[in-house]
Amino acid sequence: MPVDKKYGFSYISDDSQACDATSAFFLTQLNARYLRDAKSHGCAKIIKATEVSKILGIKNIKIIGITGTNGKTTTAAAIYSIILDLGHKVALQGTRGYFINDVRIQEKGLTTPSIFETMKNIKDAIDEGCEYFIMEVSSHAIVQNRIDGLHFALKIFTNVTQDHLDYHKSMDAYIGVKSSFFDDETPKLINKDDKKIRYNPKNCRTYGVENHATYKILAYSLDDGIQAALAKIENVCEFHSPLHGFFNLYNILAAIGAVDMLDIASLDDICDVGENFMGVEGRMEVISDNPLIIVDFAHTPDGMKKVMDSLKEKKIVVVFGAGGDRDRNKRPKMGFIASKFAKKIMVTSDNPRSEDPKMIIEDILMGIKQKTNLIVESDRKKALLKALKWQEKDEVLLVLGKGDETYQEIKGQKYPFDDRTIIKNELSCHRDTIMTNPQEQVDY
């Protein structure tokens, strides 16, 4: 990353191999073991996040950070959309990639990249005239200090449910990490209906549907998208959204509240432009209306429950698996959720990574007591094709776990794979070639 030579060096790098007498080594928790190597290359200076932040002028942009188990991506994207529609320049960094003023700069990557990459992205956003920088903040990033040196204008909490216990080891530890993001006096917006998070009440506002909050839903309908009445103290306004599901009511509410806290426009104007946000690829994405097929990224018990509960008035055929090398305890819980809401269940592979897909499936099946209308197919493509044939006219096919991912990770390799492409191709080309009775090949 090039900088003005007045600092005594011409560029900054977090790669010790790239350092020399004209550069500064950006020292972080994750690269500290390479400090000696950087010095051996004649590095001009060793600097940390706070100093880099000052050099890059990062204080000249308002950073909005969103954390939570579910809803980060949709909430962040909704805030980004609303700010753009209100006529302001803004950048967005997260699971879906990096965007500046409605232009995709980078493809999908880590939810929260290294602090070096984040600061570089922020600097680029500033250079493009952005006033706001919206970013998703993962629990891993908090633990690994990948947000060091950033001064947030607003921090947002969506919810916390079981996830990443392979890394954090316990729910208490996981909740503790999320809570630590909110222990300072930075302005914050907290989901009042989630009781597990701990936070500093100073400069805090809340949002909720069930409990009294700064931004409170008075009434709502989910019949055709979302229609809701929102109260902020005595100010009441209505908003509409084409998104589906009770959980998206929270996401849109959080986005409206966040933009209001940034004091960009009136609450009425914010609610008006909120209707323009059409959602995020792979999040309750409708692939086909007839037959009704929806793809969603839900990959936790709570995520599955929220998606399936939003469709509980329909007969659900669900296709899902679980990721390998991740928390095993959530797998039977995911099976239980599927058996509670779905009429038909197709258990398959997700991203098995280094694990045997069949062993992952066995973990899932432990939570499914009733094996009627259950098919097991470890080959995900075959599972999707069988599910298409299995689906009847009055049913919705719900494909969970991978969302808009375009790969499947197996034994350290990422192979091209997109649920949506497979489904669309089959619908348009050769749906009638799928087996007549998919349950003939049940194997569990």
Side-chain angles (χ1 to χ4, degrees):
M1 186 192 312
V3 296
D4 194 310
K5 292 181 180 180
K6 69 180 181 180
Y7 296 106
F9 43 86
S10 58
Y11 69 95
I12 302 170
S13 177
D14 63 348
D15 180 359
S16 62
Q17 294 290 313
C19 289
D20 58 28
T22 67
S23 67
F25 180 58
F26 186 174
L27 181 64
T28 70
Q29 176 182 314
L30 297 180
N31 70 5
R33 56 183 168 171
Y34 300 108
L35 174 59
R36 182 176 295 179
D37 186 53
K39 290 180 177 179
S40 73
H41 285 81
C43 184
K45 185 176 177 62
I46 309 300
I47 57 177
K48 295 185 179 180
T50 301
E51 188 172 355
V52 175
S53 179
K54 291 179 181 178
I55 291 172
L56 299 181
I58 286 176
K59 67 178 181 179
N60 296 323
I61 195 169
K62 293 182 178 179
I63 304 173
I64 298 96
I66 302 102
T67 196
T69 307
N70 298 306
K72 294 189 298 295
T73 300
T74 300
T75 302
I79 296 170
Y80 173 69
S81 173
I82 292 171
I83 293 177
L84 276 175
D85 285 349
L86 289 171
H88 294 264
K89 294 185 176 182
V90 57
L92 170 64
Q93 173 185 279
T95 307
R96 295 173 59 238
Y98 179 48
F99 304 77
I100 296 179
N101 298 328
D102 215 16
V103 176
R104 184 190 288 272
I105 306 299
Q106 296 173 7
E107 295 297 323
K108 289 175 285 188
L110 291 175
T111 301
T112 313
S114 70
I115 183 58
F116 179 76
E117 184 175 344
T118 294
M119 286 189 173
K120 181 181 182 302
N121 288 343
I122 293 174
K123 178 63 166 57
D124 290 343
I126 292 171
D127 290 344
E128 291 296 324
C130 290
E131 304 166 68
Y132 305 93
F133 184 90
I134 303 159
M135 62 180 291
E136 297 178 49
V137 179
S138 69
S139 57
H140 293 71
I142 297 171
V143 170
Q144 297 169 4
N145 298 324
R146 280 189 263 144
I147 53 173
D148 276 9
L150 302 182
H151 298 281
F152 290 88
L154 177 63
K155 296 179 177 180
I156 303 164
F157 169 69
T158 60
N159 52 65
V160 60
T161 60
Q162 182 174 336
D163 199 14
H164 304 305
L165 298 195
D166 54 300
Y167 183 83
H168 297 291
K169 306 306 180 187
S170 72
M171 274 300 293
D172 284 345
Y174 180 47
I175 293 169
V177 170
K178 293 290 189 186
S179 297
S180 68
F181 187 57
F182 301 102
D183 62 8
D184 60 15
E185 296 185 359
T186 297
K188 55 190 74 72
L189 180 62
I190 302 293
N191 179 355
K192 192 67 174 295
D193 294 341
D194 191 304
K195 301 296 184 182
K196 293 181 284 293
I197 198 71
R198 300 182 294 274
Y199 57 91
N200 184 335
K202 186 71 177 292
N203 296 322
C204 178
R205 292 183 182 177
T206 58
Y207 66 99
V209 178
E210 300 169 357
N211 293 284
H212 178 72
T214 313
Y215 302 95
K216 173 73 169 68
I217 295 296
L218 300 179
Y220 66 90
S221 170
L222 306 176
D223 290 340
D224 183 19
I226 297 170
Q227 296 83 38
L230 161 65
K232 178 193 174 186
I233 312 175
E234 69 279 355
N235 186 8
V236 178
C237 64
E238 294 183 357
F239 67 87
H240 307 273
S241 170
L243 305 191
H244 295 273
F246 185 60
F247 59 95
N248 272 324
L249 175 61
Y250 279 95
N251 295 334
I252 299 300
L253 176 60
I256 290 172
V259 178
D260 183 64
M261 287 183 69
L262 294 172
D263 201 25
I264 294 175
S266 70
L267 190 59
D268 286 324
D269 287 344
I270 295 168
C271 288
D272 285 344
V273 300
E275 185 173 354
N276 300 333
F277 176 60
M278 302 303 292
V280 176
E281 287 185 331
R283 270 69 172 178
M284 289 296 282
E285 183 175 353
V286 178
I287 301 303
S288 167
D289 290 306
N290 185 24
L292 181 55
I293 303 172
I294 298 173
V295 170
D296 192 84
F297 188 63
H299 59 284
T300 67
D302 184 69
M304 284 184 65
K305 180 180 178 182
K306 287 177 177 176
V307 169
M308 298 180 79
D309 186 59
S310 72
L311 299 167
K312 62 184 177 183
E313 302 302 323
K314 300 182 182 295
K315 297 175 182 177
I316 299 173
V317 182
V318 64
V319 179
F320 76 102
D325 303 332
R326 299 294 187 268
D327 178 16
R328 288 186 60 183
N329 292 326
K330 71 180 182 181
R331 296 172 186 172
K333 296 177 181 178
M334 293 167 70
F336 175 77
I337 294 298
S339 64
K340 181 178 178 181
F341 287 95
K343 177 185 176 184
K344 300 173 182 176
I345 301 172
M346 178 78 71
V347 181
T348 187
S349 182
D350 191 289
N351 289 315
R353 300 184 176 90
S354 71
E355 288 194 64
D356 181 346
K358 292 184 178 180
M359 298 306 295
I360 297 174
I361 289 171
E362 287 297 325
D363 288 342
I364 294 172
L365 294 179
M366 290 175 61
I368 304 175
K369 305 306 179 185
Q370 177 54 258
K371 299 299 193 291
T372 305
N373 288 326
L374 167 68
I375 298 178
V376 172
E377 173 53 75
S378 59
D379 185 308
R380 191 173 180 96
K381 181 175 181 179
K382 291 181 179 179
L384 292 173
L385 300 184
K386 291 180 180 181
L388 284 169
K389 185 66 176 179
W390 204 17
Q391 181 188 15
E392 297 178 31
K393 290 183 179 180
D394 62 342
E395 297 172 340
V396 53
L397 176 57
L398 188 58
V399 181
L400 302 180
K402 292 176 60 59
D404 61 340
E405 287 182 351
T406 56
Y407 64 87
Q408 188 173 32
E409 187 174 350
I410 304 172
K411 302 296 183 183
Q413 296 291 321
K414 289 186 176 180
Y415 300 92
F417 194 100
D418 190 323
D419 289 339
R420 302 164 302 170
T421 300
I422 292 170
I423 292 169
K424 289 177 181 178
N425 286 345
E426 186 63 18
L427 288 176
S428 62
C429 298
H430 45 82
R431 181 174 181 174
D432 58 344
T433 64
I434 310 173
M435 56 186 294
T436 303
N437 182 3
Q439 216 156 358
E440 290 174 359
Q441 294 187 15
V442 172
D443 177 22
Y444 58 82

